[in-house]
């Protein structure tokens, strides 16, 4: 049975210089393992903040959050060990080789097969030739591929990616998107991508638009559109 | 172009003024400059003061003495070799007054006497003493208080010396060159040198003493000249083996060492900080270059910015250091009235120059790296391993050069540099080996320790820089503390506190009985009274003494005469056993085993004796052979009367010889008149008042102790600065690392534990380096610079180290708590 993250009626606001900044109110969202989600929206809308709430690293000001795993409801604290992140800036450790960067989370977990597993994942992202190169010797796209391998190597149930292609040119962006979605699918991980790129967003099974404090499910609309068009086609 | 670049530099300087890296650099540079300038100023003042005062205490920089007068050729040679020479003559003669007579040491001096220090006399017996320039006029004689008492004299009386009449005109209170004459308890008198000629003593009875003012270099050439031309003459000098001279030299070297240590600490701190600065400057130049400027312009701007920073910093530093210097001097002034505040230009210029060069040395890599570098390469940053080490090693070389020029004591600096370099190499090796092996062996274990080792190994370049920084600081700190402890205990052994102000060096059995009785009646405290007999060492292991040891030493010189042989039942309270057994077979009374002897440790070392050697003494014309069964050392705190050679009381039944005692008394001011009574009764009683000597000595000791503690305090604070700097240098990297680890689903407490483990590993490697470095430095420096025998007290070392380690780890973890205030969120917003 696949697990999922459930956010119910959550609100997030900040106290800034005695005025309250509300990012969003009464927001509902469920993220299922094995499915992909894209969140788009204007800058400053609170996409990254929402990502932090989903991942359980920050707490909402109001609302309920839960992590349902094997039909048991738990708090989001239990989610910690089951998630991986991918960032716009890649954030590889500059002193470590590509291989060691990928092996890092496994080493931390004390996995004796860390290096072997890391090799497998480097191969999956197509970088087994570059395993001994430091991040400074890799291109942005290559660095992001290493970051993807690093996020997936410990087979987390959910992957959160904040603007994973934001720093890349069109071609690399497409490559990265291909690899990201393929790997998550292969690993049966849930994927949440925050992006400004419509192209990237389109590839997700569910697309949301966060604007003016509310979250719109565009995929429903799209699916609806599709259905409509299908119907039309049938007609 | 140039003015343009200066303007640009000024602009960027202002812009960066409030940036964290600039502020930190400014602060560190400021603090270091402040420390070093203040210290060099204060130590210059203190050294001048000490120089003057110890000279006063010794009366001369060197004393050449022999039984003949110097020929005029010799005298002019000595004068040309040195700054100033004053001749004195001494003879033991009998003084007679109203049928009473007394033997005394008569010293003949001229108008130039005293050479250094103060000659104190008074016009009345109990009168206040005044500083006096020049000796007695023709026909006058000055006597010490004991002579007045023993001959029942008054000022204005006529006194007969070798059939000539002298007018008694003053009481002799203090002769500055007394200490150099050694421990003598003769009564003293002083006359004019022309009278001495007139008295017509046979010249072989006169001891000619030439008081000499000279620099260390001059003294050395004088000694060379004397050894060649006047081998029979003796030279005593302040660098020599006189305890005070030794003490002075130790203090001077300690101050020198402290400033070298501070200098290196400063280097470490700046080095650690420059890492941060380098990146910023490179980045900034890259921006300039991307805007079309040449890399040369980038370097120029960077240089100007650096210079502006320093130029603006210097006035503040000089002002503050002057204030601090003034505070220190006025604080010391409470104890030392004539210590004056004054500008010492040379040390200011010298220390500022040295520190500026030091700052420049560590900034050079930045300028170097800017030269002919492509924009992209600059943005990528990250110096590669080889060039990284190359710049490090060349900076060490330049730094050593600067340090050697900066310090007055080249040898000491060189030794320190050797110790530091060895420690650095060792720590690099140890970091590499420990981390490599540690990682290898723990590969198959899970847990945070293997992970930490793995991470440290991966980041070995930046980590080992940190380890070296911390390790060197710990080493310097540990060494300072060790030296402080050892110097402290040596100095404490000089301390005569609570040890009485009158020393009886030779009292016969009836004399001692009388003193004890008098003491009981008058309420005088007898601090100590210890028995001895005279014994002359004639052979070691059946070999004549002269053949046994040729190495000249204080011990050997003393053994040329009869020494005082003390006996006791068990170890005296102010001694401790160093080696062997103190009186074996003591359990059986009247043991056959009475021919045992215990010899003072330094004497053992000087003469190269070992336990089991046999010593043959002549005691009252009989020969006795003893086996060395123990070695003892002085232990401060229980009185100063200690003997080089001691035997068990059981030996007394076999040796018939006159017995004497040494004693020390504590007299209250109103009891001083008892001394006159004593001398009148026993003119042969050898007794000396120590008040004045001990007073000067004690106050100087107290100041030195404070001074040295002050230095150590500064070194401790600098250690903290260095550790903070090294943490700050890695802060952004650490923060990022923690955030990334948290993004793998680990909690902050895991990061904290990783942090603690990392600091423990860092501290342990640094600790090993520090121990070895301290050991090495001790080995190199102790004997040559402080005349201390180096015995590594490993238990003390390790205990102290352990405490330092705990503190370092705690400080490290505490200071890096900032790095834990990271979050995944920062990784998202960070650009
Ligand atoms: N801890 C906080 N305290 C105060 N304000 C905050 C805090 N965290 C985020 N904000 C504010 O919330 C708003 C939303 O930030 P967020 O980073 O989530 O936006 P975003 O949608 O990810 O924007 P972008 O597309 O530019 O990344 C911003 O205005 C930000 O300043
Ligand atoms: Mg964002």
């Amino acid at each position: 049975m696949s697990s999922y993250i459930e956010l119910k009626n959550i609100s997030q606001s900040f106290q800034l210089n005695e005025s309250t900044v509300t990012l969003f109110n009464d927001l509902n969202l469920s993220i299922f393992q094995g499915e992909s989600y894209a969140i788009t929206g204007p800058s400053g809308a609170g996409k990254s903040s929402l990502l932090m709430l989903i991942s359980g690293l920050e707490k909402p000001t109001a609302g309920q959050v839960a992590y349902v795993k094997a039909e048991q409801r738990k708090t989001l604290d239990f989610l910690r060990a089951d998630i991986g992140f991918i960032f716009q800036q890649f954030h590889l450790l500059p002193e470590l080789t590509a291989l060691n960067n990928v092996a890092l989370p496994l080493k931390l977990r004390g996995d004796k097969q860390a290096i072997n597993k890391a090799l497998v994942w480097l191969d999956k992202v197509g970088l087994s030739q570059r395993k001994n190169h430091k991040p400074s010797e890799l291109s942005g796209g290559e660095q992001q591929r290493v970051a993807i391998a690093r996020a997936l190597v410990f087979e987390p149930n959910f992957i959160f990616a904040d603007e994973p292609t934001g720093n890349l040119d069109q071609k690399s962006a497409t490559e990265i998107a291909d690899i990201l979605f393929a790997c998550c699918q292969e690993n049966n991980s849930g994927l949440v991508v925050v992006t400004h790129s419509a192209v990237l967003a389109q590839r997700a099974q569910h697309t949301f638009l966060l604007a003016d404090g509310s979250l719109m499910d565009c995929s429903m609309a799209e699916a609806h559109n599709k259905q409509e068009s299908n119907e039309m086609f049938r007609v | 172009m140039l003015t343009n670049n200066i303007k640009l530099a000024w602009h960027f300087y202002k812009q960066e003024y409030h940036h964290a890296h600039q502020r930190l650099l400014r602060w560190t540079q400021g603090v270091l400059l402040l420390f070093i300038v203040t210290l060099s100023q204060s130590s210059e003042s203190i050294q001048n003061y000490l120089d003057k005062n110890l000279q006063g205490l010794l009366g001369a920089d060197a004393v050449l003495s022999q039984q003949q007068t110097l020929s005029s050729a010799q005298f002019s040679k000595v004068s040309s070799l040195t700054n100033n020479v004053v001749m004195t003559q001494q003879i033991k003669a009998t003084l007679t007054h109203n049928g009473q007579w007394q033997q005394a040491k008569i010293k003949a001096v001229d108008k130039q006497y005293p050479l250094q220090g103060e000659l104190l006399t008074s016009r009345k017996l109990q009168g206040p003493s005044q500083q006096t320039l020049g000796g007695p006029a023709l026909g006058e004689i000055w006597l010490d208080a004991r002579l007045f008492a023993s001959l029942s004299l008054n000022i204005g009386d006529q006194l007969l010396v070798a059939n000539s009449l002298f007018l008694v005109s003053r009481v002799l209170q203090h002769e500055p060159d007394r200490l150099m004459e050694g421990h003598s308890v003769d009564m003293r008198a002083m006359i004019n040198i022309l009278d001495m000629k007139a008295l017509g003593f046979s010249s072989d009875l006169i001891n000619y003493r030439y008081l000499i003012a000279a620099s260390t270099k001059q003294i050395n050439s004088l000694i060379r000249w004397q050894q060649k031309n006047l081998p029979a003459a003796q030279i005593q000098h302040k660098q020599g083996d006189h305890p005070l001279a030794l003490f002075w030299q130790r203090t001077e070297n300690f101050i020198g060492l402290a400033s070298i240590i501070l200098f290196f600490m400063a280097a470490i701190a700046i080095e650690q900080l420059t890492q941060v600065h380098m990146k910023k400057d490179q980045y900034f130049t890259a921006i300039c270059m991307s805007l079309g400027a040449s890399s040369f312009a980038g370097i120029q701007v960077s240089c100007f910015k650096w210079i502006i920073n320093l130029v603006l910093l210097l006035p503040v530093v000089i002002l503050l250091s002057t204030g601090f210097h003034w505070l220190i001097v006025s604080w010391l002034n409470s104890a030392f009235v004539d210590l004056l505040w004054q500008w010492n230009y040379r040390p200011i210029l010298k220390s500022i120059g040295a520190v500026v060069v030091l700052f420049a040395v560590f900034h050079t890599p930045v300028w170097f790296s800017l030269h002919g570098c492509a924009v992209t390469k600059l943005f990528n940053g990250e110096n590669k391993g080889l060039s990284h080490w190359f710049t490090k090693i060349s900076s060490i070389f330049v730094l050593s050069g600067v340090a050697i020029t900066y310090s007055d004591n080249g040898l000491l600096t060189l030794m320190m540099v050797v110790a530091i370099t060895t420690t650095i190499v060792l720590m690099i090796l140890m970091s590499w080996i420990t981390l490599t092996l540690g990682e290898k062996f723990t590969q198959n274990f899970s847990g945070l320790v293997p992970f930490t080792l793995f991470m440290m190994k991966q980041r070995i370049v930046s980590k080992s820089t940190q380890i070296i920084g911390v390790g060197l600081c710990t080493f310097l700190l540990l060494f300072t503390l060790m030296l402080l402890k050892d110097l402290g205990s040596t100095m404490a052994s000089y301390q005569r506190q609570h040890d009485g102000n009158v020393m009886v060096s030779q009292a016969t059995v009836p004399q001692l009985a009388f003193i004890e009785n008098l003491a009981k009646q008058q309420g005088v405290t007898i601090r100590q009274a210890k028995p001895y007999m005279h014994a002359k060492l004639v052979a070691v292991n059946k070999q004549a003494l002269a053949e046994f040891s040729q190495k000249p030493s204080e011990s050997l010189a003393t053994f040329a005469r009869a020494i005082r042989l003390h006996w006791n039942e068990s170890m005296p309270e102010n001694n401790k056993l160093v080696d062997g057994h103190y009186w074996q077979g003591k359990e059986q009374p009247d043991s056959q085993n009475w021919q045992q002897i215990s010899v003072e440790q330094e004497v053992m070392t000087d003469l190269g004796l070992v336990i089991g050697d046999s010593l043959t003494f002549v005691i009252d014309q009989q020969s006795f052979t003893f086996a060395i069964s123990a070695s003892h050392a002085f232990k401060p705190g229980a009185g100063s009367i200690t003997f080089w050679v001691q035997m068990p009381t059981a030996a007394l039944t076999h040796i018939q010889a006159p017995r004497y005692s040494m004693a020390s008394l504590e007299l209250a001011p109103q009891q001083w008149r008892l001394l006159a009574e004593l001398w009148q009764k026993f003119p042969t009683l050898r007794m000396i008042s120590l008040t004045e000597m001990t007073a000067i000595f004690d106050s100087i000791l107290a100041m030195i102790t404070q001074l040295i503690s002050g230095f150590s305090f500064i070194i401790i604070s600098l250690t903290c600065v260095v550790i903070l700097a090294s943490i700050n240098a890695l802060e952004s990297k650490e923060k990022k690392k923690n955030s990334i680890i948290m993004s793998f689903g680990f909690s902050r407490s895991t990061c904290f534990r990783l942090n603690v483990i990392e600091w423990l590993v860092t501290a342990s490697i640094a600790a090993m380096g520090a121990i070895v470095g301290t050991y090495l430095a001790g080995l190199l420096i102790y004997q040559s610079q402080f005349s201390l025998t180096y015995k590594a007290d490993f238990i003390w070392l390790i205990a102290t180290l352990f405490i330092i380690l705990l503190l370092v780890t705690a400080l490290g973890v505490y200071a890096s708590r900032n790095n834990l205030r990271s979050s995944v969120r920062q990784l998202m917003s960070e650009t």
Side-chain angles (χ1 to χ4, degrees):
Chain A
M1 172 67 208
S2 78
S3 45
Y4 63 96
I5 305 164
E6 187 180 71
L7 292 84
K8 258 193 194 157
N9 302 325
I10 57 159
S11 307
Q12 183 72 317
S13 48
F14 298 109
Q15 210 67 38
L16 255 188
N17 304 331
E18 289 163 26
S19 67
T20 312
V21 179
T22 305
L23 285 185
F24 37 75
N25 267 321
D26 289 331
L27 195 142
N28 291 294
L29 182 64
S30 293
I31 305 290
F32 287 88
Q33 191 188 348
E35 301 201 12
S36 57
Y37 302 79
I39 300 173
T40 57
S43 192
K47 304 181 296 294
S48 301
S49 306
L50 181 58
L51 206 57
M52 295 308 288
L53 293 186
I54 303 173
S55 64
L57 289 175
E58 280 173 16
K59 300 261 174 296
T61 23
Q64 290 88 49
V65 288
Y67 176 36
V68 182
K69 188 181 183 183
E71 293 181 347
Q72 280 185 310
R73 285 185 91 80
K74 297 173 177 175
T75 64
L76 283 195
D77 291 333
F78 289 89
L79 186 59
R80 290 217 57 127
D82 293 344
I83 55 175
F85 281 89
I86 293 163
F87 306 97
Q88 181 175 2
Q89 306 294 337
F90 326 132
H91 290 312
L92 301 177
L93 288 177
E95 299 95 338
L96 270 60
T97 60
L99 182 62
N100 279 328
N101 259 300
V102 177
L104 201 62
L106 293 178
K107 290 241 177 200
L108 246 175
R109 286 174 163 78
D111 191 327
K112 280 159 207 163
Q113 292 302 313
I115 293 292
N116 290 335
K117 286 185 186 168
L119 270 176
V120 171
W121 274 97
L122 263 187
D123 198 35
K124 281 187 190 168
V125 298
L127 280 180
S128 47
Q129 304 298 315
R130 315 288 304 268
K131 64 178 188 226
N132 289 327
H133 289 227
K134 296 260 172 77
S136 57
E137 297 156 347
L138 299 174
S139 75
E142 286 163 340
Q143 288 189 49
Q144 192 62 301
R145 283 197 257 168
V146 175
I148 292 173
R150 184 180 69 179
L152 280 155
V153 73
F154 56 98
E155 296 171 359
N157 290 348
F158 297 94
I159 293 285
F160 300 99
D162 195 358
E163 300 278 9
T165 59
N167 267 9
L168 304 174
D169 62 60
Q170 190 56 52
K171 187 167 162 280
S172 316
T174 317
E175 272 174 31
I176 290 298
D178 287 342
I179 291 169
L180 182 60
F181 279 93
C183 288
C184 286
Q185 193 154 32
E186 184 187 332
N187 201 40
N188 193 30
S189 302
L191 172 66
V192 184
V193 187
V194 165
T195 183
H196 285 290
S197 154
V199 184
L200 182 63
Q202 264 176 15
R203 306 180 67 145
Q205 290 162 308
H206 310 270
T207 321
F208 295 94
L209 175 69
L210 183 64
D212 302 327
S214 63
L215 191 69
M216 261 190 344
D217 191 343
C218 308
S219 45
M220 292 299 245
E222 232 163 67
H224 192 69
N225 280 347
K226 261 185 207 159
Q227 223 173 7
E228 265 178 11
S229 57
N230 283 351
E231 275 165 18
M232 281 206 315
F233 187 71
R234 241 183 260 149
V235 168
Chain B
M1 172 74 181
L2 197 69
T3 42
N4 216 14
N5 281 344
I6 295 178
K7 268 187 205 152
L8 199 62
W10 174 244
H11 173 76
F12 280 114
Y13 171 76
K14 274 198 306 190
Q15 201 183 34
E16 283 188 341
Y17 192 81
H18 291 293
H19 288 192
H21 73 284
Q22 271 290 351
R23 197 173 335 143
L24 201 72
L25 188 77
R26 205 164 51 237
W27 269 99
T28 316
Q29 285 183 338
V31 167
L32 292 178
L33 269 170
L34 186 64
F35 269 164
I36 290 187
V37 173
T38 311
L39 271 179
S40 64
Q41 282 271 47
S42 319
S43 66
E44 180 85 2
S45 296
I46 290 162
Q47 272 187 5
N48 281 342
Y49 175 84
L50 272 184
D51 219 3
K52 217 170 70 199
N53 274 271
L54 284 166
Q55 270 170 2
L57 227 49
L58 295 178
D61 295 319
V63 175
L64 179 92
S65 60
Q66 60 172 5
Q67 294 304 121
Q68 302 88 34
T69 159
L70 287 178
S71 70
S72 57
Q74 286 168 337
F75 189 84
S76 55
K77 181 67 190 169
V78 172
S79 306
S80 73
L81 281 174
T82 59
N83 295 328
N84 199 1
V85 187
V86 170
M87 179 171 78
T88 68
Q89 300 176 1
Q90 281 184 340
I91 190 164
K92 271 193 183 174
T94 307
L95 313 179
T96 329
H97 175 66
N98 282 348
Q100 288 174 296
W101 54 270
Q102 175 65 54
Q103 202 183 43
K105 195 172 242 177
I106 302 177
K107 182 186 222 158
V109 301
D110 59 14
K111 283 271 165 289
Q112 280 180 284
Y113 181 87
L115 178 66
Q116 293 167 346
E118 295 181 345
L119 171 66
L120 299 178
T121 61
S122 64
R123 290 230 171 259
K124 278 187 274 174
L125 248 182
Q126 249 72 41
S129 60
Q130 336 168 273
Q131 190 182 346
T132 318
L133 298 171
L138 278 174
E140 290 186 6
I141 189 165
W142 299 347
L143 307 171
D144 76 352
R146 293 177 297 166
L147 268 174
F148 275 92
S150 71
L151 293 176
S152 327
L153 276 165
N154 282 308
I155 300 274
D157 287 350
Q158 299 276 327
L159 182 72
L160 205 58
V161 184
N163 298 324
S164 298
L165 271 180
F166 283 85
L167 173 71
V168 177
S169 59
R170 276 174 182 269
V171 186
L172 193 55
Q173 305 271 20
H174 171 71
E175 300 154 68
D177 53 327
R178 263 294 300 283
L179 268 175
M180 282 265 215
E181 289 174 25
H183 235 357
S184 139
V185 289
D186 292 319
M187 297 193 188
R188 329 240 346 143
M190 187 179 278
I191 57 171
N192 193 292
I193 203 157
L194 296 173
D195 281 330
M196 187 74 145
K197 221 175 248 167
L199 286 172
F201 286 112
S202 141
S203 74
D204 57 322
L205 293 178
I206 300 176
N207 186 16
Y208 296 84
R209 294 169 50 81
Y210 296 86
L211 308 182
I212 295 166
S215 66
T216 310
K217 226 164 114 191
Q218 290 174 326
I219 291 177
N220 289 335
S221 56
L222 178 70
I223 292 173
R224 274 195 301 276
W225 176 82
Q226 173 261 329
Q227 278 166 350
K228 220 169 130 200
N229 299 291
L230 289 173
Q234 288 177 309
I235 284 193
Q236 282 168 308
H237 54 93
K238 69 172 185 207
Q239 268 80 28
D241 45 14
H242 191 279
L244 260 180
L246 208 60
F247 168 79
W248 187 83
Q249 186 201 358
R250 281 172 182 163
T251 311
E252 195 177 42
N253 283 349
F254 186 87
I255 293 174
L257 185 66
S259 61
I260 297 168
I261 287 180
L262 277 181
F263 186 79
F264 279 106
M265 291 274 226
I268 301 165
I270 289 293
E271 203 275 338
Q272 305 271 321
L273 267 184
T274 312
Q275 290 179 34
V276 188
H277 214 248
M278 195 172 196
K279 244 179 238 138
K280 303 273 179 182
D281 253 28
Q282 282 181 334
Y283 189 77
F284 155 78
T285 310
I287 291 174
C288 284
M289 284 169 72
S290 68
L291 294 175
S294 71
S295 72
F296 180 68
I299 297 174
Q300 257 190 355
V301 172
S302 174
C303 283
F304 286 136
K305 204 170 57 149
W306 183 82
I307 292 169
I308 291 172
N309 180 39
L310 265 181
V311 166
L312 291 183
L313 202 62
L314 280 179
V316 183
V317 165
I318 292 178
L319 214 68
L320 281 177
S321 70
T322 308
F324 277 123
H325 179 209
W326 186 82
L327 279 179
I328 290 174
V329 168
S330 36
W331 168 61
L332 290 174
N333 236 325
S334 55
F336 302 95
V337 196
D338 45 349
L339 181 65
L340 287 178
W341 181 88
Q342 75 184 81
W343 266 90
N344 304 309
Y345 288 98
R346 216 176 72 90
I348 285 203
L349 292 179
K350 204 168 85 170
S351 50
I352 288 182
V355 175
V356 166
V357 172
L358 174 122
F359 291 163
V361 165
F362 284 112
H363 217 81
T364 327
V366 181
W367 296 324
F368 242 131
S369 69
L370 300 182
H371 178 70
C373 236
V375 177
T376 47
K377 212 170 164 194
L378 286 178
F379 274 111
N380 282 340
E382 261 327 289
N383 261 5
K384 286 292 152 306
L386 204 60
S387 69
H388 173 92
W389 290 118
F390 178 73
T391 44
K392 288 277 138 77
I393 288 166
S394 39
S395 356
I396 291 176
F397 270 111
V398 179
L399 199 65
S400 312
V402 178
I404 290 172
T405 2
Y406 169 65
S407 136
D408 293 324
N409 190 339
L411 183 66
L412 177 60
T413 316
L414 198 68
M415 286 171 169
M416 215 53 211
V417 169
V418 168
I420 286 176
T421 321
T422 319
T423 313
I424 290 178
V425 172
L426 204 88
M427 277 193 289
I428 292 174
L429 278 180
M430 258 184 337
S431 314
W432 194 80
I433 292 171
T434 316
L435 294 181
T436 309
L437 291 185
E439 197 209 344
K440 271 250 155 57
F441 285 122
T442 54
Q443 222 163 27
N444 293 325
F445 298 95
S446 48
L448 295 182
V449 178
F451 177 77
T452 311
L453 288 175
F454 164 76
M455 276 302 278
M456 290 179 80
K457 173 73 203 307
Q458 295 299 318
R459 308 163 79 199
I460 193 155
V461 173
S462 55
K463 265 295 147 188
S464 53
T465 319
Q466 193 176 49
I467 290 175
I468 289 170
V470 173
L472 281 184
C473 284
T474 323
F475 153 46
L476 295 178
L477 183 62
L478 192 64
F479 183 67
T480 314
L481 291 180
M482 180 175 83
L483 195 57
L484 187 68
K485 168 182 160 272
D486 290 345
L487 268 186
S489 58
T490 332
M491 289 206 271
S493 70
Y494 288 149
Q495 208 121 21
R496 273 155 243 234
Q497 254 172 10
H498 307 301
D499 202 29
N501 46 19
V502 173
M503 180 85 134
V504 176
S505 62
Q506 181 173 323
T508 57
V509 179
Q511 283 169 347
L512 187 70
F514 183 83
I515 292 174
E516 280 171 344
N517 196 24
L518 187 75
K520 204 183 269 171
Q521 283 170 11
Q522 304 286 340
V524 172
T525 328
I526 297 183
R527 294 279 178 194
Q528 304 162 70
K530 293 185 176 176
Y532 68 89
M533 52 180 64
H534 289 295
K536 169 82 181 72
L537 179 64
V538 289
V540 179
N541 295 336
K542 302 268 183 284
Q543 200 179 1
L545 181 61
E547 284 166 42
F548 178 77
S549 176
Q550 264 102 26
K551 198 181 102 205
S553 65
E554 198 185 350
S555 310
L556 196 61
T558 307
F559 276 119
R561 301 181 301 257
I563 51 103
R564 300 183 174 108
L565 176 58
H566 174 60
W567 63 86
N568 50 34
E569 208 57 70
S570 57
M571 184 65 74
E573 260 178 66
N574 63 351
N575 283 172
K576 60 175 179 239
L577 187 69
V578 179
D579 202 0
H581 298 275
Y582 210 77
W583 310 163
Q584 278 162 330
K586 205 173 70 181
E587 301 75 36
Q588 305 115 34
D590 196 25
S591 155
Q592 292 304 299
N593 200 5
W594 60 272
Q595 283 165 306
Q596 310 179 42
I597 212 154
S598 176
V599 180
E600 211 270 340
Q601 181 197 17
E602 261 177 52
V603 179
M604 298 275 282
T605 322
D606 272 358
L607 296 187
L609 297 172
V610 291
I611 299 283
D613 279 349
S614 78
L615 300 181
T616 308
F617 285 94
V618 171
I619 304 172
D620 203 27
Q621 285 154 28
Q622 285 172 281
S623 172
F624 298 92
T625 298
F626 297 85
I628 301 177
S629 66
S631 169
H632 61 270
F634 180 69
K635 190 175 74 182
S640 68
I641 298 181
T642 181
F643 295 85
W644 280 7
V645 189
Q646 311 183 352
M647 63 179 180
T649 312
L652 285 184
T653 48
H654 307 268
I655 305 173
Q656 307 306 322
R659 297 175 191 178
Y660 301 99
S661 284
M662 272 182 105
S664 66
L665 318 178
E666 177 83 35
L667 262 67
Q670 70 276 10
Q671 291 170 326
W672 281 104
R673 55 179 179 77
L674 291 178
L675 288 186
E677 195 180 315
L678 261 178
W679 271 312
Q680 257 157 13
K681 181 147 178 63
F682 301 112
T684 58
L685 179 64
R686 299 201 184 165
M687 192 156 66
I688 184 173
S689 151
L690 296 173
T691 12
E692 181 191 331
M693 213 174 85
T694 53
I696 300 172
F697 204 88
D698 288 350
S699 57
I700 289 185
L701 272 180
M703 186 187 84
I704 297 298
T705 314
Q706 280 181 334
L707 188 76
I708 290 181
S709 321
F711 272 122
S712 313
F713 172 76
I714 287 173
I715 289 177
I716 290 173
S717 8
L718 213 52
T719 310
C720 295
V721 172
V722 174
I723 292 177
L724 293 181
S726 72
I727 288 169
N728 188 272
L730 288 185
E731 183 176 302
S732 61
K733 275 185 183 173
E734 286 299 314
K735 253 191 177 149
K736 190 167 162 187
K737 187 195 84 183
N738 286 333
S739 303
I740 290 173
I741 286 174
M742 284 198 267
S743 83
F744 298 154
F746 289 91
S747 62
R748 200 156 285 171
S749 78
T750 311
C751 288
F752 176 74
R753 269 178 290 161
L754 283 174
N755 202 359
V756 172
I757 296 172
E758 198 167 316
W759 269 102
L760 275 176
V761 175
T762 303
S764 321
I765 299 177
M768 287 190 276
I771 284 264
V772 176
T774 308
Y775 180 77
L776 193 72
L779 224 53
L780 282 174
I781 289 168
Y782 260 54
Q783 186 62 51
S784 89
Q785 303 293 318
F786 295 99
S787 310
L788 294 173
T789 352
Y790 181 61
K791 274 221 189 92
D793 182 351
F794 275 105
I795 295 180
W796 182 87
L797 266 184
I798 287 169
T800 314
L801 189 78
F802 201 72
I803 295 168
I804 294 180
L805 273 190
L806 275 182
L807 292 178
V808 166
T809 310
L811 181 68
V813 171
Y814 176 77
S816 56
R817 78 203 181 286
N818 232 353
N819 304 342
L820 288 175
R821 264 195 238 122
S822 57
S823 66
V824 178
R825 178 69 201 224
Q826 279 167 358
L827 291 178
M828 288 183 181
S829 45
E830 201 174 274
T831 50

